[in-house]
Structures are given as structure tokens and as C-alpha cells.
């Protein structure tokens, strides 16, 4: 083979790989689920950035062509959208039984948000789930990169699926996605005004248990813990006096505040922060991931399942099942995962190369901008979540200074109080989910589905 033919052969191979990554595939069956899927599922990759060096993997669940289209991002950063698909709002969930070497079983979720909306679950940033980079440079990500790549992803996806161009579109996510979703909506809005094609018919955004601003999010943990009876009145008052209600990154030099924070930690260290009423499951290797380079709200413990497996009656055990499932060869073949692209799938990959380059560490100004453009929003919080406490979310919403159009009241599901809600003049609805944790749909699926369905139909909760 001469040099010209060899180069042509290499180009054909590269092109075939790009095409095979990009081509979406409709799945009628999934390993672990008995019988044909009772919904339409598509998987595929969308290439973004120069030369499509970043390949973003997605799961698309179709409901009805005329239903709204939702782009869903799971938090982390680094947690796969598969979490949203299986543990929160999607049409599948695992049957939680002790793993016996066989493929974990998937069953139907009757409270899926896909009953009333088409949902794209995308693995972003790069290195999350099955998304991958073709070059070392492309593997670098960060807040701004994620915002830009998400907009690119959605515009390219709509080019491939033009039948959804006129549908109402909402950008949604939970936890850390609260930091990026408002910026993504602003990026899309600006792009539309500049004439970027295709135009995206974005109508608003949805955030669950959202990280927003560490001043509100972290500092509210003390007030939340006091309100739930986890710390005494005396300690609460001492903390306020000695720390000046600023509890982040306390320096040991501030002796009294530092001592009081240690007392707070002793009171709460065996409380499950994701849902304070659920058991604290201590096992394996616990590590923390600082988000802003200091002790903050976002220092959440997570577990290395390769070192130890949680007890089957611990909620985290269900997360282990996803790693058994997604790393199975038959599953990867069914999903049409690019061979050699992802050595080991992790539900949450906290080792991604990610830069937290958000100005001031706050998204509050994005919410103000989006309100000025008339976008609708739904902000909801599980009221037993101590990772992003609802009292902090309430506080930053109040700081926007919009008038109340529907004041604090209970909202009901099947005649029972499912939470409390308030609506503001900027078309923002805030709702608590009674008994919900971080994040709410995982703990209260029926209630969250009813909340979402009513809001989507522009009905009062």
C-alpha cells in the first residue's frame, strides 16, 4: 500500500469512527429489563468543540412529539445523567436486592416525568458517564466550558431532531447543576438574540435542591440544623455571636468560632446530610470534594465502592447496582458505547479535570437576568436535605426582591400535604417537598411528578 492510499485509509477510519459516534440508535430492549421497553429510548453521542473532540453521550426518552422538551443535567460536577434517568425522574429504576453476580434488574417507574415531556439526559461535563475526549486537551473542562458545550450540544441535537424545534424547551437539573443551568439559559437566550441557528424555543428552567451561592447555601446549614433540633439553642446563639453568621472556611485563629464549629460538627457528624431522617451509612473509604478550594457547603462525603460495598438496606446500595450494570459488556453493546472510550463507568466521577471559574461563586445575577427576559422557573427543595438546605434557597430567592403573587401555602397530593409553595412576580415558583432529601424526586417520586406536571401545565401547585 503506497503512502497516499495509506493516508486515505486512515482518513476513512477516522471518519467512520466519527460517524459511528454521532449516529443515534433507538433501543427496544435493555439488558436487565424484562421484555420490550414500554417507552421510546434513543442513545447516541454529539460532538462539540473544535473537530468534535468532545463526545457527549446522551439518553433520550420520547413521550409525545408535542410535549415540552427537557434537557436534564445531573449535578456533581461529574455525576452521570443516568442518575436522573434511573434514580430520579426517568422511566426506569433498579430492583434493589443484594447483588448475586447476575445483571441487576431494571423495572418501570410509574412516576416518570417522561409521561408528560420528552427528556434528554446528557452526560456532561466530559469524563462524566460515557462522555469522552479524543485528545488530552479536550479532556479539560470547567464551569464556562460546560456552559458553552451544553449550548452547542442542544443546538446540534435539534439539528439532528428538527421535529422538536418548535416545542417549548426547558433546561433542568439538580444539585451542582444549579450553578450552571441559569448560565446555560442565559447563553441560549443571548445566542437566539444574536441569530445563532437553530433558534432554541427556551421557555424557562427547573432546578432541584440547587447550589446557588455559598453565602446562602452553606451558612443556612446552621439555621437548618437548629430548626430540626440537631443543635441546641445555646450552641446556635453562640455560633451566631462568635462567627458573625459566616460559617464557611473558619480559620483556627478565630478561636471561639472555630471551637463552636467543632461542637456543631460533633452534633451532626453522624447525621445523613442527604436526608436527615434516613440512617447514616458509614462504610468504606469516605472522601470529600471541595468545590471552591475551601471548606464549604459542597464538601459532601462520597464513597469509593471499589474499596467497600454499603449494606443492602442503605440507599447508597442502589447506586452500586448502576456500576455493576453499566460496566457489563452486554449493556455497553446495547447502548452502543464507543469501544475503548470509557474504561470504567462511574455514577459520579469526581476525578474529572474541572475548573470552577464562575465569577463570585454565585448564580444570583443569572436569575435576575432571566427574570428580566420573562423566563419561567421552578425551584424545589426536599425539606430534609442538609446538603443544600431549603432555608438557604428561600433566602437567596428573597434577595431577588420580587413581589409575592401567591403566598406561602401547602400543596396537596391525594389530599395530603406534599410540601409548601410560594410564587413570585418574576414567574418563579418555589416549592418544598415534605420528607424529600437531596435530591427530592429520589425520595418522593409521586409528589414530585405531580408538582412537575402541574407546573408544566401552568397550573397552581
Amino acid at each position: 500500500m503506497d503512502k497516499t492510499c495509506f493516508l486515505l485509509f486512515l482518513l476513512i477510519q477516522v471518519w467512520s469512527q466519527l460517524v459511528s459516534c454521532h449516529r443515534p440508535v433507538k433501543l427496544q430492549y435493555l439488558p436487565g429489563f424484562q421484555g420490550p421497553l414500554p417507552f421510546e429510548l434513543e442513545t447516541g453521542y454529539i460532538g462539540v468543540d473544535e473537530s468534535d473532540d468532545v463526545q457527549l453521550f446522551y439518553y433520550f426518552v420520547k413521550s409525545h412529539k408535542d410535549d415540552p422538551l427537557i434537557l436534564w443535567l445531573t449535578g456533581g460536577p461529574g455525576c452521570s445523567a443516568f442518575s436522573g434517568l434511573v434514580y430520579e425522574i426517568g422511566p426506569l429504576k433498579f430492583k434493589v436486592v443484594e447483588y448475586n453476580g447476575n445483571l441487576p434488574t431494571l423495572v418501570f417507574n410509574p412516576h416518570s416525568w417522561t409521561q408528560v415531556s420528552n427528556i434528554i439526559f446528557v452526560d456532561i461535563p466530559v469524563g462524566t458517564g460515557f462522555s469522552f475526549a479524543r485528545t488530552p486537551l479536550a479532556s479539560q473542562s470547567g464551569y464556562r466550558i460546560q456552559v458553552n458545550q451544553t449550548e452547542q450540544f442542544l443546538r446540534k441535537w435539534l439539528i439532528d431532531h428538527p421535529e422538536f424545534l418548535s416545542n417549548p424547551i426547558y433546561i433542568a437539573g439538580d444539585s451542582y447543576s444549579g450553578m450552571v443551568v441559569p448560565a446555560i439559559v442565559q447563553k441560549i437566550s443571548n445566542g437566539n438574540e444574536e441569530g445563532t441557528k437553530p433558534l432554541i424555543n427556551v421557555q424557562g428552567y427547573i432546578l432541584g435542591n440547587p447550589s446557588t451561592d455559598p453565602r446562602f447555601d452553606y451558612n443556612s446549614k446552621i439555621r437548618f440544623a437548629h430548626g430540626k433540633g440537631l443543635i441546641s439553642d445555646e450552641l446556635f446563639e453562640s455560633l451566631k455571636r462568635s462567627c458573625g453568621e459566616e460559617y464557611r472556611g473558619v480559620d483556627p485563629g478565630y478561636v471561639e468560632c472555630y471551637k463552636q464549629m467543632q461542637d456543631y460538627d460533633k452534633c451532626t457528624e453522624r447525621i445523613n446530610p442527604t436526608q436527615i431522617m434516613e440512617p447514616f451509612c458509614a462504610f468504606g473509604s469516605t472522601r470529600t470534594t471541595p468545590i471552591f478550594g475551601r471548606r464549604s457547603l459542597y464538601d459532601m462525603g462520597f464513597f469509593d465502592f471499589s474499596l467497600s460495598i454499603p449494606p443492602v438496606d442503605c440507599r447508597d446500595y442502589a447506586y452500586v447496582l448502576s456500576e455493576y450494570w453499566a460496566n457489563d459488556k452486554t449493556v455497553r453493546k446495547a447502548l452502543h458505547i464507543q469501544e475503548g472510550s470509557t474504561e470504567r463507568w462511574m455514577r459520579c466521577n469526581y476525578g474529572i479535570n474541572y475548573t470552577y471559574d464562575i465569577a463570585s461563586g454565585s448564580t444570583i445575577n443569572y436569575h435576575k437576568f432571566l427574570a428580566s427576559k420573562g423566563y419561567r422557573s421552578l425551584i424545589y427543595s426536599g425539606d430534609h436535605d442538609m446538603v443544600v438546605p431549603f432555608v438557604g434557597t428561600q433566602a437567596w430567592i428573597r434577595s431577588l426582591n420580587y413581589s409575592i403573587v401567591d403566598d406561602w401555602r401547602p400543596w396537596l397530593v391525594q389530599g395530603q400535604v406534599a410540601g409548601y409553595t410560594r410564587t413570585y412576580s418574576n414567574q418563579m415558583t418555589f416549592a418544598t417537598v415534605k420528607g424529600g432529601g437531596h435530591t427530592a424526586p429520589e425520595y418522593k417520586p409521586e409528589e414530585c411528578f405531580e408538582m412537575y406536571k402541574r407546573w408544566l401545565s401552568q397550573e397552581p401547585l
Side-chain angles (χ1 to χ4, degrees), residues 364-365 367-368 371 395-402 426 428:
I364 288 177
N365 285 336
H367 289 284
K368 291 178 180 178
W396 69 254
I397 290 175
R398 280 197 302 271
S399 77
L400 299 175
N401 289 323
Y402 290 100
N426 61 333
M428 176 179 284

Side-chain angles (χ1 to χ4, degrees), residues 94-153:
F94 282 109
K95 183 178 180 180
V96 182
V97 295
E98 189 168 3
Y99 180 68
N100 60 7
N102 295 323
L103 195 66
T105 299
L106 289 164
V107 295
F108 183 68
N109 172 21
H111 306 300
S112 172
W113 293 14
T114 57
Q115 295 178 70
V116 293
S117 53
N118 305 282
I119 305 184
I120 312 165
F121 299 88
V122 58
D123 281 343
I124 192 169
V126 65
T128 298
F130 285 120
S131 293
F132 68 96
R134 296 188 183 278
T135 67
L137 182 61
S139 67
Q140 298 176 14
S141 187
Y143 173 81
R144 295 179 184 178
I145 293 173
Q146 183 178 354
V147 170
N148 292 337
Q149 290 181 346
T150 304
E151 185 215 19
Q152 289 179 51
F153 171 92

